[in-house]
Amino acid sequence: MSHLLHVPALADAEYAYVASVEPSARLVLTAGACPLDADGATVAPGDPVAQARQVMANLETALGAAGATLTDVVRTTVYVASSQRADLVAVWQVVRDAFGDHDPPSTLLGVAVLGYPDQLVEVEAIAAVAVAA
């Protein structure tokens, strides 16, 4: 399936530096999960933490539709529409809490704007699901 690798020669981080996926795994690639409710409205305008919670719930739902879970994720990219490091750190904490002890390689980016009105957070993921023999 997959293996997450921490690299002792690199600075300690809250995520693995490398994910290795076995050939027998099925890859699942998500679109960016957005902070939208079931009606397509952006939740919690102005609140990146609340939006991050909705994003992670939506990501779990999307992964579930493909037969995957957060523990199958081998890579994420987290986008936060803010130039404030505190906003990035607060969103990152929500994302890390959602993953629990599973710590896939991740990139956290502050960006100028995201696609939906009032959107502050988006998370993309790649998962590797074991294929039954």
Side-chain angles (χ1 to χ4, degrees):
M1 174 173 39
S2 67
H3 305 283
L4 302 180
L5 306 170
H6 293 267
V7 181
L10 298 174
D12 189 34
E14 294 183 347
Y15 50 84
Y17 274 101
V18 179
S20 174
V21 178
E22 300 299 322
S24 61
R26 175 176 55 88
L27 289 181
V28 175
L29 292 83
T30 71
C34 298
L36 305 178
D37 64 18
D39 295 323
T42 303
V43 303
D47 186 344
V49 169
Q51 286 195 8
R53 288 187 191 109
Q54 182 70 45
V55 163
M56 293 310 293
N58 290 349
L59 179 60
E60 285 189 82
T61 299
L63 288 167
T69 68
L70 288 178
T71 58
D72 296 314
V73 171
V74 295
R75 173 91 173 99
T76 66
T77 305
V78 180
Y79 302 93
V80 183
S82 176
S83 62
Q84 301 301 310
R85 188 174 313 269
D87 290 339
L88 276 70
V89 170
V91 167
W92 177 251
Q93 191 59 57
V94 172
V95 172
R96 287 299 315 127
D97 288 350
F99 279 103
D101 291 336
H102 185 69
D103 58 354
S106 298
T107 299
L108 174 63
L109 300 166
V111 299
V113 66
L114 291 166
Y116 289 100
D118 299 316
Q119 180 183 1
L120 299 173
V121 180
E122 188 163 333
V123 177
E124 296 175 336
I126 299 172
V129 180
V131 177

